[in-house]
Amino acid sequence: MKKIPVQILLFLGLSCSLFSRNVTLSLHSFQLSLDLSGSVVELLDIKNDINVLVRHQPSPLLSIRVDGETKTPVSLRYEKANNLLFLTFANNIEATIQVLPKERYITFELTAITDREKIELVVWGPYPISLNTIIGETVGVVQGEKFALGIQALNPKTLGGYPWNENDCMPQIDIFDQDDLSDMSEEGKRYVLYRVEAAKPEEYGSSLQAYCRNRNRERIVANWDHDKYTAPPFENGGVIGTKIALFGCAVDNILDTIGRIEMAEGLPHPTIDGEWGKTARSASAAYIIMGFGEADMDKAISVTQKAGLRYLYHPGPFQSWGHFELNPQQFPNGVAGLKSCVDKARQAGIYVGVHTLSNFITPNDPYVTPVPDPRLAKVGTSVLTENIDDLQRNIPIESPDFFNQFKNNHLKTILVGDELIRYGRVSEQAPWRLLDCVRGAFNTQASNHAKGEKISKLADHAYRVFLTNPELSIEMSKNIADLFNKTGLRQISFDGLEGNRSTGMGNYGEILFTQTWYDHLNENIRQHYIADASRTSHFFWHIYTRMNWGEPWYAGFRESQTEYRLKNQAYFKRNLMPAMLGWFKMTAETSIEDIEWMLARSAAFNAGYGFVVNYKDLEQNANADQILEVLGRWERARMADVFSDEQKKRMQDINNEFQLVAVSQHEWQLSQIHSFKFTHERKVRQPGEPLCSTFSFNNPFDDRTINFILSADDGDISDLKIEIDHYKEIELPLTLKAGEKLKYNSGSEAVLYSAQWRQLATVALDSALFNVSSGEHTLTFDCRFGEDNESKAKLEIRIAGPMEKVKSKF
């Protein structure tokens, strides 16, 4: 059967509409129909002949808000010759929409509207959809079993989402997982945290929506944990030019369709190794995070090479944020010195990146001191009600509204002229005064100020930094892009991106920052960069490579934000993003077993990670070289796509452990380690009652030799006794000091290690005593505790499963 061109299909659809009184736009796999009231009445999956629009819900193509009231269209007129739709609203407001059917999608652009300055905002949709198999809330795609429907904002000012909040920040909602709820208790129901935006879960299925706000006047909104926050006016053409694309396609064609939209509509389309960043395998590449400078760049390159990775990332090269001046101790030659490091790494096959906190401005930056930039973000402004001199500590102000909000007020700083002043509190009644002030703060000049002069509360953050208004956000973003262009940096994380909410424009402030950065990169950088962030948004999806959040600072290697890291994988998958696990920090005590635990999760989700190391821990951890080699071994196997779906499913369970051994450059052996972890603590019992602990474990295989790791936690332990199945007794007449470990890995002896894995001694053992048959077994453990009442003995039993051969698919 010959394919009918899109233009002919569109003509046929419009011809039929003369009879049906609908305007119908037909593509190869997707058909959209509008009735003459301006509502969407059909979103047709052509192949399966299913209308996925939910008909009993309102579905305006476009609605508007005027004087706080949302208005839907009352009529539609179509001008076929120019592909223009005219929507009429109450009070004779008319909107002109350019509609252009393309091969795979349809674009809608608002080109004119009556009384444009009075229009507060316009909303595309929401379009109610019956599809709910997978809801990609950020990317703006909802999927059924076979068919998917999507919305794409085609410029930064068109925000994916709905104006649920006046500060343009998207909400988060918990939705119970629909799988297997029938046999689950209310408390046990699983839930999904949705970062609701362009797509939203609904009782009837899902919805797609986008909107654009007119920012032509100042507004006071709740924002940044302030009940009152000033959103300043911002000139971007208002609602004119807001533009979206709607598409429908087979589930397997979603990413290909979005990629084509990006290229055809001039959206960002960054690549890695010549491939689009959203499909390149290297988009989820793991990387080394460590500080370096001109003097020790060779060492940093060597560590990265030992790990078999090709990305080296500096966690903090800057002396200040804002102008992003480099730390002179690490880079005495400034930008030229950083460029020399980048060039040296590139010659070794390694790309270099740096970490930023987006629009956070440190108080030592020239934007703050000695003369503060007037574009620092302001919560709000009042005026002085009296003249003040340069020594006055109680400052009279007209209104306390923006100054007596202390929930997110960490620096308590105000701007008057060129002076920064810090204050202790606000008077409890009029006449209003800022009390206990510190004049000339942050090395600014204390000065006299006249009655009527503006006085502004500066926005700040718990990191003890200041923030930006829209214009300063744009300039700071250019500062970062300039650094990339001058040095050849290729990786960045927009950490703290939410700081751009200081603009008063919510997600739009975040998008302005990242879009400006992208627009100012040179073409070489655009063709190969990796950008991630701790959060994302609908339009930013086109710019960043991946989201990456999971921090190592709050608990041990396996515990820090583990649940959050795993929930993120589901979010990444449904939003068509490369997967990442976040950051993990190696310490002097990190074990190889910890590393392989993490790497199995990396393989399970095909997720990269950032591996934080420093020279001190590398020197102290006796297993450092082996740890780096294990990183490279697993990363090569993951990038070669060697693991089966069944193996990945097993590795997703954080209670399962694995070991990977290299056989050749393209072949490995994987074995699952069945691990059982026990803790023996000091007990208080009646006289004669045993103080030992008895545990049970299961050997799922045929006869096996069990291995173990015994650790002294928070105190010394001695006179160690292990008894297996109540008859095989092993006495270990030695003392483990706090932090030391006794590790048995088959054979005739166990090894005693320091906390940093340096071998201290060996202990002879009879391997036959550790051989167990298939099935359930008991293990009894006892020891003598030292004087520290908090001391514990931790025992891990490890049983290796059969080897599973895996080979590269490339």
Side-chain angles (χ1 to χ4, degrees), residues 185-254:
S185 66
E186 190 68 28
E187 294 78 17
K189 288 181 179 178
R190 296 187 300 275
Y191 68 88
V192 176
L193 176 63
Y194 281 97
R195 301 161 174 88
V196 176
E197 204 174 348
K200 180 176 183 288
E202 303 282 6
E203 290 183 1
Y204 51 76
S206 59
S207 64
L208 297 173
Q209 53 273 313
Y211 74 103
C212 180
R213 187 183 295 279
N214 193 346
R215 304 183 187 278
N216 61 346
R217 59 177 66 96
E218 182 180 287
R219 298 179 302 124
I220 305 299
V221 299
N223 182 48
W224 203 247
D225 277 337
H226 296 292
D227 293 331
K228 296 179 180 180
Y229 193 100
T230 303
F234 185 74
E235 179 53 49
N236 64 356
V239 297
I240 301 301
T242 177
K243 186 177 182 182
I244 64 166
L246 290 175
F247 68 89
C249 65
V251 167
D252 292 342
N253 292 333
I254 298 171

Side-chain angles (χ1 to χ4, degrees), residues 634-645:
W634 277 86
E635 183 75 351
R636 284 192 301 275
R638 180 174 73 88
M639 287 298 178
D641 194 23
V642 304
F643 302 109
S644 69
D645 290 342

Side-chain angles (χ1 to χ4, degrees), residues 279-392:
T279 58
R281 287 195 64 79
S282 54
S284 65
Y287 56 106
I288 292 292
I289 303 173
M290 69 183 303
F292 59 82
E294 296 174 48
D296 57 8
M297 188 60 186
D298 290 334
K299 289 175 64 177
I301 291 172
S302 176
V303 169
T304 310
Q305 289 175 324
K306 286 181 180 179
L309 305 181
R310 65 169 187 162
Y311 288 92
L312 171 62
Y313 190 74
H314 199 306
F318 301 113
Q319 180 174 250
S320 71
W321 301 331
H323 286 79
F324 298 102
E325 298 173 339
L326 292 165
N327 183 338
Q329 293 183 337
Q330 292 179 320
F331 302 100
N333 293 300
V335 172
L338 176 57
K339 184 180 186 305
S340 70
C341 291
V342 172
D343 291 343
K344 181 179 289 187
R346 190 71 200 97
Q347 291 171 7
I350 293 170
Y351 292 105
V352 175
V354 294
H355 194 71
T356 71
L357 267 293
S358 299
N359 73 323
F360 289 16
I361 303 176
T362 48
N364 65 329
D365 190 83
Y367 284 131
V368 176
T369 185
V371 178
D373 194 295
R375 298 168 298 173
L376 293 171
K378 301 174 180 66
V379 177
T381 298
S382 185
V383 296
L384 296 174
T385 56
E386 301 173 13
N387 295 335
I388 62 171
D389 62 27
D390 60 351
L391 299 176
Q392 194 162 329

Side-chain angles (χ1 to χ4, degrees), residues 547-568:
M547 183 178 162
N548 189 26
W549 193 5
E551 300 179 9
W553 324 116
Y554 309 110
F557 198 89
R558 305 185 187 217
E559 294 84 21
S560 186
Q561 294 191 332
T562 300
E563 183 179 2
Y564 183 80
R565 295 176 196 266
L566 297 182
K567 282 186 177 180
N568 268 343

